[in-house]
Amino acid sequence: MSDSQPWTAAPSAAEHARSVLAASWSCAVTAEGGREEFVGAHTVAEDGRVTLEVPEDSALVAAAICAPRGEPSAVLEFADVAPVPVRSRIRARLWIAGWFVPGDGRLEFTTTRVVLRRPSGAVVVDLDEFAAAEPDPLATAEARLLTHLADCHPDAVERLTRLVDADSLHGAVRVQPLAVDRHGLTLRIERARAHGDVRLPFHAPADDVARLTERMHVLLTQASAASCPRALQRQRTDRDG
């Protein structure tokens, strides 16, 4: 995508859901046979269809064989966990309802309902939009990018707070990078007993790591030119040792 194409300041619910699905390494499956956790067992097709490879003795296999077709018989749950240690690390949860069809040593999932729950609330994602959406191009690299920013460039993170409204920084004791996507960077502002998030949008989409680097440089240049807010309080938070 060229930088001249139109874009929005935040991902749609369908794009966010597909990003959670693309980046998740594990999932929990609730079916008639109970609840099972699987790590590294699912794959995702271009249209968002999920396939699971599970042991033959898994209760899920029996549930898939015995379940009636045409009605939801299983729910897949994926958690979007912030890679940087912050309070309330679950950024979103994705639930996909439907049923499994056994085939060729794998379980192919037919989706009937998609629900994405974010801090702002839960939203039912249109199935056609979910199938057509693409995950954020930075989704699979986000964990590495954010941990590098937090661990190796804390000075840059603090400099970026110059772009945050002073009221949002009132009582802040720590600021950490919470999320990044092609549209912008989100900072988690922690106070002694509360927290909030602030989004810093990019001036143009970052469809790869090279463009992200340029977008971050622009934000840091803007921050350097901004007036410096009152320094973060250096008191310990409840969770700091």
Side-chain angles (χ1 to χ4, degrees), residues 112-176:
T112 59
R113 185 179 175 88
V114 177
V115 177
L116 178 68
R117 183 173 186 85
R118 298 179 281 195
S120 58
V123 57
V124 177
V125 181
D126 180 84
L127 294 182
D128 291 335
E129 293 180 3
F130 179 76
E134 295 183 359
D136 189 89
L138 302 176
T140 57
E142 183 194 26
R144 171 176 56 84
L145 295 169
L146 288 183
T147 53
H148 176 78
L149 178 60
D151 295 342
C152 301
H153 302 285
D155 55 328
V157 175
E158 184 157 349
R159 196 192 322 169
L160 288 171
T161 62
R162 298 183 182 186
L163 300 176
V164 178
D165 183 88
D167 291 339
S168 297
L169 289 174
H170 180 71
V173 295
R174 187 172 68 165
V175 177
Q176 291 278 51

Short mmCIF file of all heavy atoms in Angstrom, two decimals, residues 112-176:
data_model
loop_
_atom_site.label_atom_id
_atom_site.label_comp_id
_atom_site.label_asym_id
_atom_site.label_seq_id
_atom_site.Cartn_x
_atom_site.Cartn_y
_atom_site.Cartn_z
N THR A 112 -19.69 -19.60 13.07
CA THR A 112 -21.05 -19.06 13.00
C THR A 112 -21.18 -17.71 13.72
O THR A 112 -22.14 -16.98 13.48
CB THR A 112 -22.05 -20.04 13.64
OG1 THR A 112 -21.68 -20.27 15.01
CG2 THR A 112 -22.07 -21.36 12.88
N ARG A 113 -20.22 -17.38 14.57
CA ARG A 113 -20.30 -16.12 15.32
C ARG A 113 -18.92 -15.73 15.80
O ARG A 113 -18.15 -16.58 16.25
CB ARG A 113 -21.26 -16.27 16.51
CG ARG A 113 -21.52 -14.97 17.30
CD ARG A 113 -22.51 -15.27 18.43
NE ARG A 113 -22.74 -14.14 19.32
CZ ARG A 113 -23.65 -13.20 19.12
NH1 ARG A 113 -24.42 -13.25 18.04
NH2 ARG A 113 -23.82 -12.23 19.98
N VAL A 114 -18.60 -14.45 15.68
CA VAL A 114 -17.31 -13.91 16.14
C VAL A 114 -17.58 -12.73 17.07
O VAL A 114 -18.30 -11.79 16.70
CB VAL A 114 -16.44 -13.46 14.95
CG1 VAL A 114 -15.13 -12.84 15.45
CG2 VAL A 114 -16.15 -14.63 14.01
N VAL A 115 -17.00 -12.78 18.25
CA VAL A 115 -17.18 -11.69 19.23
C VAL A 115 -15.80 -11.24 19.70
O VAL A 115 -14.96 -12.06 20.11
CB VAL A 115 -18.01 -12.15 20.44
CG1 VAL A 115 -18.12 -11.02 21.48
CG2 VAL A 115 -19.40 -12.58 20.00
N LEU A 116 -15.57 -9.94 19.63
CA LEU A 116 -14.33 -9.34 20.09
C LEU A 116 -14.64 -8.46 21.29
O LEU A 116 -15.49 -7.57 21.22
CB LEU A 116 -13.69 -8.50 18.99
CG LEU A 116 -12.40 -7.76 19.35
CD1 LEU A 116 -11.26 -8.74 19.58
CD2 LEU A 116 -12.03 -6.75 18.27
N ARG A 117 -13.96 -8.74 22.39
CA ARG A 117 -14.16 -7.92 23.60
C ARG A 117 -12.91 -7.10 23.86
O ARG A 117 -11.83 -7.64 24.08
CB ARG A 117 -14.50 -8.77 24.81
CG ARG A 117 -14.78 -7.92 26.06
CD ARG A 117 -15.29 -8.75 27.22
NE ARG A 117 -15.69 -7.90 28.33
CZ ARG A 117 -16.88 -7.32 28.46
NH1 ARG A 117 -17.79 -7.52 27.54
NH2 ARG A 117 -17.15 -6.55 29.50
N ARG A 118 -13.08 -5.78 23.84
CA ARG A 118 -12.01 -4.84 24.14
C ARG A 118 -12.39 -4.06 25.39
O ARG A 118 -13.53 -4.18 25.88
CB ARG A 118 -11.81 -3.91 22.95
CG ARG A 118 -11.38 -4.62 21.69
CD ARG A 118 -11.21 -3.70 20.50
NE ARG A 118 -12.46 -3.33 19.85
CZ ARG A 118 -12.54 -2.78 18.66
NH1 ARG A 118 -11.44 -2.54 17.97
NH2 ARG A 118 -13.70 -2.47 18.13
N PRO A 119 -11.48 -3.25 25.94
CA PRO A 119 -11.82 -2.46 27.14
C PRO A 119 -13.06 -1.59 26.94
O PRO A 119 -13.79 -1.32 27.89
CB PRO A 119 -10.56 -1.62 27.36
CG PRO A 119 -9.46 -2.44 26.81
CD PRO A 119 -10.04 -3.12 25.60
N SER A 120 -13.32 -1.19 25.70
CA SER A 120 -14.48 -0.35 25.42
C SER A 120 -15.78 -1.14 25.36
O SER A 120 -16.87 -0.56 25.34
CB SER A 120 -14.28 0.39 24.09
OG SER A 120 -14.07 -0.54 23.03
N GLY A 121 -15.69 -2.46 25.36
CA GLY A 121 -16.88 -3.30 25.32
C GLY A 121 -16.77 -4.39 24.27
O GLY A 121 -15.79 -4.47 23.54
N ALA A 122 -17.80 -5.22 24.21
CA ALA A 122 -17.81 -6.34 23.26
C ALA A 122 -18.56 -5.94 22.00
O ALA A 122 -19.52 -5.17 22.04
CB ALA A 122 -18.47 -7.56 23.90
N VAL A 123 -18.11 -6.48 20.87
CA VAL A 123 -18.75 -6.21 19.59
C VAL A 123 -18.83 -7.52 18.81
O VAL A 123 -17.89 -8.31 18.80
CB VAL A 123 -17.98 -5.14 18.78
CG1 VAL A 123 -16.55 -5.57 18.56
CG2 VAL A 123 -18.66 -4.86 17.47
N VAL A 124 -19.98 -7.74 18.17
CA VAL A 124 -20.14 -8.89 17.30
C VAL A 124 -19.60 -8.51 15.92
O VAL A 124 -20.04 -7.53 15.33
CB VAL A 124 -21.62 -9.31 17.20
CG1 VAL A 124 -21.78 -10.47 16.21
CG2 VAL A 124 -22.15 -9.70 18.57
N VAL A 125 -18.65 -9.28 15.43
CA VAL A 125 -18.00 -8.98 14.16
C VAL A 125 -18.77 -9.67 13.03
O VAL A 125 -19.06 -10.86 13.10
CB VAL A 125 -16.53 -9.46 14.17
CG1 VAL A 125 -15.85 -9.12 12.85
CG2 VAL A 125 -15.78 -8.82 15.34
N ASP A 126 -19.09 -8.90 12.00
CA ASP A 126 -19.77 -9.46 10.84
C ASP A 126 -18.90 -10.55 10.21
O ASP A 126 -17.69 -10.37 10.01
CB ASP A 126 -20.03 -8.34 9.82
CG ASP A 126 -20.73 -8.85 8.58
OD1 ASP A 126 -21.97 -8.96 8.58
OD2 ASP A 126 -20.01 -9.15 7.59
N LEU A 127 -19.51 -11.69 9.89
CA LEU A 127 -18.74 -12.83 9.39
C LEU A 127 -18.09 -12.54 8.04
O LEU A 127 -16.96 -12.96 7.79
CB LEU A 127 -19.64 -14.07 9.29
CG LEU A 127 -20.16 -14.64 10.61
CD1 LEU A 127 -20.98 -15.89 10.35
CD2 LEU A 127 -19.00 -14.95 11.56
N ASP A 128 -18.79 -11.83 7.16
CA ASP A 128 -18.19 -11.49 5.87
C ASP A 128 -17.03 -10.53 6.03
O ASP A 128 -15.99 -10.66 5.36
CB ASP A 128 -19.25 -10.88 4.94
CG ASP A 128 -20.30 -11.89 4.49
OD1 ASP A 128 -19.99 -13.10 4.49
OD2 ASP A 128 -21.42 -11.48 4.16
N GLU A 129 -17.17 -9.56 6.94
CA GLU A 129 -16.08 -8.63 7.20
C GLU A 129 -14.89 -9.35 7.82
O GLU A 129 -13.73 -9.05 7.51
CB GLU A 129 -16.56 -7.49 8.10
CG GLU A 129 -17.59 -6.57 7.46
CD GLU A 129 -18.04 -5.47 8.39
OE1 GLU A 129 -17.50 -5.38 9.52
OE2 GLU A 129 -18.93 -4.69 8.00
N PHE A 130 -15.18 -10.29 8.70
CA PHE A 130 -14.12 -11.07 9.34
C PHE A 130 -13.33 -11.87 8.30
O PHE A 130 -12.10 -11.91 8.33
CB PHE A 130 -14.73 -12.00 10.39
CG PHE A 130 -13.74 -12.87 11.10
CD1 PHE A 130 -12.92 -12.35 12.08
CD2 PHE A 130 -13.64 -14.22 10.79
CE1 PHE A 130 -11.99 -13.16 12.74
CE2 PHE A 130 -12.73 -15.03 11.45
CZ PHE A 130 -11.90 -14.50 12.42
N ALA A 131 -14.05 -12.49 7.38
CA ALA A 131 -13.40 -13.30 6.35
C ALA A 131 -12.58 -12.44 5.39
O ALA A 131 -11.52 -12.86 4.91
CB ALA A 131 -14.44 -14.11 5.58
N ALA A 132 -13.07 -11.23 5.11
CA ALA A 132 -12.40 -10.36 4.13
C ALA A 132 -11.25 -9.56 4.74
O ALA A 132 -10.36 -9.12 4.02
CB ALA A 132 -13.42 -9.41 3.51
N ALA A 133 -11.27 -9.36 6.06
CA ALA A 133 -10.26 -8.53 6.70
C ALA A 133 -8.89 -9.21 6.69
O ALA A 133 -8.78 -10.44 6.62
CB ALA A 133 -10.67 -8.22 8.14
N GLU A 134 -7.87 -8.39 6.76
CA GLU A 134 -6.50 -8.89 6.86
C GLU A 134 -5.94 -8.49 8.22
O GLU A 134 -6.24 -7.40 8.72
CB GLU A 134 -5.62 -8.32 5.75
CG GLU A 134 -6.02 -8.77 4.35
CD GLU A 134 -5.07 -8.23 3.30
OE1 GLU A 134 -4.13 -7.50 3.67
OE2 GLU A 134 -5.28 -8.53 2.11
N PRO A 135 -5.12 -9.34 8.83
CA PRO A 135 -4.49 -8.94 10.09
C PRO A 135 -3.54 -7.77 9.87
O PRO A 135 -3.05 -7.55 8.77
CB PRO A 135 -3.74 -10.21 10.52
CG PRO A 135 -3.53 -10.98 9.26
CD PRO A 135 -4.72 -10.69 8.40
N ASP A 136 -3.32 -7.02 10.92
CA ASP A 136 -2.40 -5.90 10.83
C ASP A 136 -1.02 -6.41 10.41
O ASP A 136 -0.56 -7.46 10.89
CB ASP A 136 -2.30 -5.20 12.19
CG ASP A 136 -1.52 -3.91 12.11
OD1 ASP A 136 -2.13 -2.87 11.85
OD2 ASP A 136 -0.28 -3.95 12.29
N PRO A 137 -0.34 -5.72 9.50
CA PRO A 137 0.96 -6.19 9.01
C PRO A 137 2.03 -6.26 10.09
O PRO A 137 3.06 -6.93 9.90
CB PRO A 137 1.33 -5.19 7.92
CG PRO A 137 0.52 -3.96 8.22
CD PRO A 137 -0.76 -4.48 8.81
N LEU A 138 1.81 -5.60 11.21
CA LEU A 138 2.79 -5.62 12.30
C LEU A 138 2.41 -6.61 13.40
O LEU A 138 3.14 -6.74 14.39
CB LEU A 138 2.93 -4.22 12.92
CG LEU A 138 3.35 -3.10 11.97
CD1 LEU A 138 3.35 -1.76 12.71
CD2 LEU A 138 4.71 -3.37 11.36
N ALA A 139 1.29 -7.31 13.25
CA ALA A 139 0.75 -8.13 14.33
C ALA A 139 1.73 -9.17 14.84
O ALA A 139 1.93 -9.33 16.05
CB ALA A 139 -0.55 -8.80 13.88
N THR A 140 2.37 -9.89 13.93
CA THR A 140 3.26 -10.97 14.36
C THR A 140 4.62 -10.45 14.85
O THR A 140 5.36 -11.20 15.48
CB THR A 140 3.47 -11.98 13.23
OG1 THR A 140 3.99 -11.30 12.07
CG2 THR A 140 2.15 -12.66 12.86
N ALA A 141 4.93 -9.21 14.56
CA ALA A 141 6.21 -8.62 15.01
C ALA A 141 6.01 -7.71 16.22
O ALA A 141 7.00 -7.25 16.81
CB ALA A 141 6.86 -7.82 13.88
N GLU A 142 4.77 -7.46 16.61
CA GLU A 142 4.48 -6.48 17.65
C GLU A 142 5.18 -6.79 18.97
O GLU A 142 5.74 -5.89 19.60
CB GLU A 142 2.97 -6.38 17.88
CG GLU A 142 2.61 -5.31 18.90
CD GLU A 142 1.19 -5.40 19.40
OE1 GLU A 142 0.63 -6.53 19.36
OE2 GLU A 142 0.64 -4.39 19.83
N ALA A 143 5.15 -8.03 19.41
CA ALA A 143 5.75 -8.38 20.70
C ALA A 143 7.23 -8.02 20.73
O ALA A 143 7.73 -7.41 21.69
CB ALA A 143 5.56 -9.86 20.99
N ARG A 144 7.94 -8.37 19.68
CA ARG A 144 9.38 -8.06 19.60
C ARG A 144 9.61 -6.55 19.56
O ARG A 144 10.52 -6.03 20.23
CB ARG A 144 9.97 -8.72 18.36
CG ARG A 144 11.39 -8.32 18.05
CD ARG A 144 11.93 -9.09 16.86
NE ARG A 144 11.11 -8.95 15.67
CZ ARG A 144 11.20 -7.93 14.80
NH1 ARG A 144 12.06 -6.94 15.05
NH2 ARG A 144 10.44 -7.89 13.73
N LEU A 145 8.80 -5.84 18.80
CA LEU A 145 8.97 -4.40 18.66
C LEU A 145 8.72 -3.66 19.98
O LEU A 145 9.49 -2.77 20.36
CB LEU A 145 8.03 -3.87 17.58
CG LEU A 145 8.30 -4.36 16.16
CD1 LEU A 145 7.13 -4.00 15.24
CD2 LEU A 145 9.60 -3.79 15.62
N LEU A 146 7.66 -4.05 20.68
CA LEU A 146 7.31 -3.35 21.92
C LEU A 146 8.29 -3.66 23.04
O LEU A 146 8.66 -2.77 23.82
CB LEU A 146 5.89 -3.71 22.34
CG LEU A 146 4.76 -3.12 21.50
CD1 LEU A 146 3.41 -3.50 22.09
CD2 LEU A 146 4.87 -1.59 21.40
N THR A 147 8.71 -4.91 23.16
CA THR A 147 9.66 -5.24 24.23
C THR A 147 11.00 -4.56 23.98
O THR A 147 11.67 -4.13 24.93
CB THR A 147 9.86 -6.77 24.34
OG1 THR A 147 10.20 -7.31 23.05
CG2 THR A 147 8.59 -7.44 24.84
N HIS A 148 11.38 -4.44 22.72
CA HIS A 148 12.63 -3.72 22.40
C HIS A 148 12.50 -2.24 22.78
O HIS A 148 13.42 -1.67 23.38
CB HIS A 148 12.94 -3.85 20.92
CG HIS A 148 14.15 -3.06 20.49
ND1 HIS A 148 15.45 -3.50 20.73
CD2 HIS A 148 14.26 -1.85 19.86
CE1 HIS A 148 16.30 -2.60 20.27
NE2 HIS A 148 15.62 -1.60 19.74
N LEU A 149 11.35 -1.65 22.48
CA LEU A 149 11.14 -0.24 22.81
C LEU A 149 11.17 -0.03 24.32
O LEU A 149 11.81 0.91 24.82
CB LEU A 149 9.81 0.23 22.24
CG LEU A 149 9.39 1.68 22.53
CD1 LEU A 149 10.41 2.66 21.97
CD2 LEU A 149 8.01 1.96 21.95
N ALA A 150 10.49 -0.91 25.05
CA ALA A 150 10.42 -0.76 26.51
C ALA A 150 11.75 -1.04 27.20
O ALA A 150 12.15 -0.32 28.12
CB ALA A 150 9.34 -1.68 27.07
N ASP A 151 12.47 -2.07 26.73
CA ASP A 151 13.70 -2.49 27.41
C ASP A 151 14.91 -1.67 27.01
O ASP A 151 15.80 -1.41 27.84
CB ASP A 151 13.98 -3.97 27.12
CG ASP A 151 12.92 -4.90 27.69
OD1 ASP A 151 12.18 -4.46 28.59
OD2 ASP A 151 12.86 -6.06 27.25
N CYS A 152 14.98 -1.28 25.75
CA CYS A 152 16.19 -0.64 25.23
C CYS A 152 16.06 0.88 25.05
O CYS A 152 17.08 1.57 24.94
CB CYS A 152 16.59 -1.27 23.90
SG CYS A 152 16.91 -3.05 24.01
N HIS A 153 14.83 1.39 25.00
CA HIS A 153 14.65 2.82 24.75
C HIS A 153 13.62 3.46 25.70
O HIS A 153 12.69 4.12 25.26
CB HIS A 153 14.21 3.04 23.30
CG HIS A 153 15.16 2.49 22.30
ND1 HIS A 153 16.37 3.09 21.98
CD2 HIS A 153 15.09 1.36 21.52
CE1 HIS A 153 17.00 2.37 21.07
NE2 HIS A 153 16.25 1.32 20.77
N PRO A 154 13.79 3.26 27.02
CA PRO A 154 12.84 3.88 27.95
C PRO A 154 12.86 5.40 27.87
O PRO A 154 11.86 6.06 28.16
CB PRO A 154 13.33 3.38 29.33
CG PRO A 154 14.77 3.04 29.11
CD PRO A 154 14.85 2.52 27.72
N ASP A 155 14.02 5.98 27.48
CA ASP A 155 14.11 7.43 27.34
C ASP A 155 13.20 7.91 26.21
O ASP A 155 12.59 8.99 26.31
CB ASP A 155 15.55 7.85 27.06
CG ASP A 155 16.15 7.13 25.85
OD1 ASP A 155 15.77 5.97 25.60
OD2 ASP A 155 17.00 7.73 25.17
N ALA A 156 13.10 7.12 25.14
CA ALA A 156 12.23 7.49 24.03
C ALA A 156 10.77 7.43 24.46
O ALA A 156 9.96 8.29 24.07
CB ALA A 156 12.47 6.57 22.84
N VAL A 157 10.42 6.42 25.26
CA VAL A 157 9.04 6.30 25.75
C VAL A 157 8.69 7.52 26.59
O VAL A 157 7.61 8.11 26.44
CB VAL A 157 8.86 5.01 26.57
CG1 VAL A 157 7.45 4.95 27.16
CG2 VAL A 157 9.10 3.78 25.69
N GLU A 158 9.59 7.92 27.47
CA GLU A 158 9.31 9.09 28.31
C GLU A 158 9.23 10.36 27.47
O GLU A 158 8.42 11.24 27.74
CB GLU A 158 10.37 9.23 29.41
CG GLU A 158 10.06 10.37 30.37
CD GLU A 158 10.74 10.17 31.72
OE1 GLU A 158 11.27 9.08 31.97
OE2 GLU A 158 10.72 11.13 32.51
N ARG A 159 10.06 10.45 26.42
CA ARG A 159 10.00 11.62 25.56
C ARG A 159 8.64 11.71 24.85
O ARG A 159 8.10 12.79 24.65
CB ARG A 159 11.12 11.58 24.52
CG ARG A 159 11.36 12.95 23.85
CD ARG A 159 12.25 12.87 22.64
NE ARG A 159 13.35 11.91 22.77
CZ ARG A 159 14.11 11.55 21.75
NH1 ARG A 159 13.90 12.03 20.53
NH2 ARG A 159 15.09 10.68 21.93
N LEU A 160 8.08 10.55 24.50
CA LEU A 160 6.79 10.54 23.81
C LEU A 160 5.65 11.07 24.68
O LEU A 160 4.62 11.49 24.16
CB LEU A 160 6.47 9.13 23.33
CG LEU A 160 7.30 8.61 22.16
CD1 LEU A 160 7.03 7.13 21.94
CD2 LEU A 160 6.99 9.40 20.89
N THR A 161 5.86 11.07 26.00
CA THR A 161 4.81 11.60 26.88
C THR A 161 4.61 13.10 26.67
O THR A 161 3.60 13.65 27.11
CB THR A 161 5.13 11.33 28.36
OG1 THR A 161 6.35 11.98 28.73
CG2 THR A 161 5.26 9.84 28.62
N ARG A 162 5.56 13.76 26.00
CA ARG A 162 5.37 15.19 25.70
C ARG A 162 4.21 15.40 24.73
O ARG A 162 3.69 16.52 24.62
CB ARG A 162 6.65 15.77 25.10
CG ARG A 162 7.86 15.73 26.02
CD ARG A 162 9.05 16.40 25.37
NE ARG A 162 10.26 16.33 26.20
CZ ARG A 162 11.40 16.94 25.92
NH1 ARG A 162 11.50 17.66 24.81
NH2 ARG A 162 12.44 16.83 26.72
N LEU A 163 3.83 14.33 24.03
CA LEU A 163 2.71 14.43 23.10
C LEU A 163 1.37 14.12 23.77
O LEU A 163 0.33 14.17 23.13
CB LEU A 163 2.92 13.46 21.92
CG LEU A 163 4.18 13.69 21.09
CD1 LEU A 163 4.32 12.60 20.04
CD2 LEU A 163 4.16 15.07 20.45
N VAL A 164 1.42 13.80 25.05
CA VAL A 164 0.22 13.44 25.80
C VAL A 164 -0.29 14.64 26.55
O VAL A 164 0.49 15.42 27.12
CB VAL A 164 0.52 12.28 26.78
CG1 VAL A 164 -0.71 11.94 27.61
CG2 VAL A 164 1.01 11.06 26.01
N ASP A 165 -1.60 14.80 26.56
CA ASP A 165 -2.21 15.90 27.29
C ASP A 165 -1.81 15.84 28.76
O ASP A 165 -1.78 14.78 29.37
CB ASP A 165 -3.74 15.83 27.16
CG ASP A 165 -4.42 17.00 27.83
OD1 ASP A 165 -4.59 18.04 27.17
OD2 ASP A 165 -4.79 16.86 29.02
N ALA A 166 -1.51 17.01 29.33
CA ALA A 166 -1.03 17.06 30.72
C ALA A 166 -2.02 16.44 31.69
O ALA A 166 -1.63 15.80 32.67
CB ALA A 166 -0.72 18.50 31.10
N ASP A 167 -3.31 16.60 31.43
CA ASP A 167 -4.32 16.04 32.33
C ASP A 167 -4.24 14.52 32.36
O ASP A 167 -4.49 13.89 33.40
CB ASP A 167 -5.73 16.47 31.90
CG ASP A 167 -5.97 17.96 32.12
OD1 ASP A 167 -5.23 18.55 32.94
OD2 ASP A 167 -6.86 18.52 31.47
N SER A 168 -3.91 13.91 31.22
CA SER A 168 -3.81 12.45 31.17
C SER A 168 -2.61 11.93 31.94
O SER A 168 -2.58 10.78 32.36
CB SER A 168 -3.72 11.98 29.71
OG SER A 168 -4.88 12.31 28.99
N LEU A 169 -1.61 12.80 32.15
CA LEU A 169 -0.41 12.40 32.87
C LEU A 169 -0.49 12.71 34.36
O LEU A 169 0.43 12.37 35.12
CB LEU A 169 0.82 13.11 32.29
CG LEU A 169 1.27 12.64 30.90
CD1 LEU A 169 2.39 13.54 30.40
CD2 LEU A 169 1.71 11.19 30.92
N HIS A 170 -1.58 13.32 34.79
CA HIS A 170 -1.69 13.71 36.20
C HIS A 170 -1.63 12.46 37.09
O HIS A 170 -2.38 11.51 36.92
CB HIS A 170 -3.02 14.43 36.45
CG HIS A 170 -3.19 14.86 37.88
ND1 HIS A 170 -2.46 15.87 38.46
CD2 HIS A 170 -4.01 14.38 38.86
CE1 HIS A 170 -2.82 16.01 39.71
NE2 HIS A 170 -3.75 15.12 39.99
N GLY A 171 -0.70 12.45 38.02
CA GLY A 171 -0.55 11.33 38.94
C GLY A 171 0.15 10.13 38.36
O GLY A 171 0.24 9.08 39.03
N ALA A 172 0.67 10.23 37.16
CA ALA A 172 1.31 9.08 36.53
C ALA A 172 2.61 8.72 37.23
O ALA A 172 3.40 9.59 37.60
CB ALA A 172 1.57 9.37 35.05
N VAL A 173 2.83 7.41 37.41
CA VAL A 173 4.07 6.93 38.01
C VAL A 173 4.90 6.11 37.01
O VAL A 173 6.09 5.89 37.23
CB VAL A 173 3.80 6.07 39.27
CG1 VAL A 173 3.16 6.92 40.35
CG2 VAL A 173 2.91 4.88 38.93
N ARG A 174 4.26 5.65 35.95
CA ARG A 174 4.98 4.88 34.94
C ARG A 174 4.22 4.90 33.63
O ARG A 174 2.99 4.87 33.60
CB ARG A 174 5.18 3.43 35.39
CG ARG A 174 6.07 2.63 34.44
CD ARG A 174 6.42 1.27 34.99
NE ARG A 174 5.26 0.39 35.08
CZ ARG A 174 5.36 -0.93 35.26
NH1 ARG A 174 6.56 -1.49 35.40
NH2 ARG A 174 4.28 -1.67 35.33
N VAL A 175 4.97 4.96 32.52
CA VAL A 175 4.38 4.89 31.18
C VAL A 175 5.09 3.78 30.41
O VAL A 175 6.32 3.74 30.38
CB VAL A 175 4.50 6.23 30.42
CG1 VAL A 175 3.95 6.09 29.01
CG2 VAL A 175 3.77 7.34 31.17
N GLN A 176 4.31 2.89 29.81
CA GLN A 176 4.87 1.79 29.06
C GLN A 176 4.18 1.68 27.69
O GLN A 176 2.99 2.04 27.57
CB GLN A 176 4.66 0.45 29.80
CG GLN A 176 5.47 0.30 31.07
CD GLN A 176 6.89 -0.15 30.79
OE1 GLN A 176 7.60 0.42 29.96
NE2 GLN A 176 7.33 -1.20 31.49
#
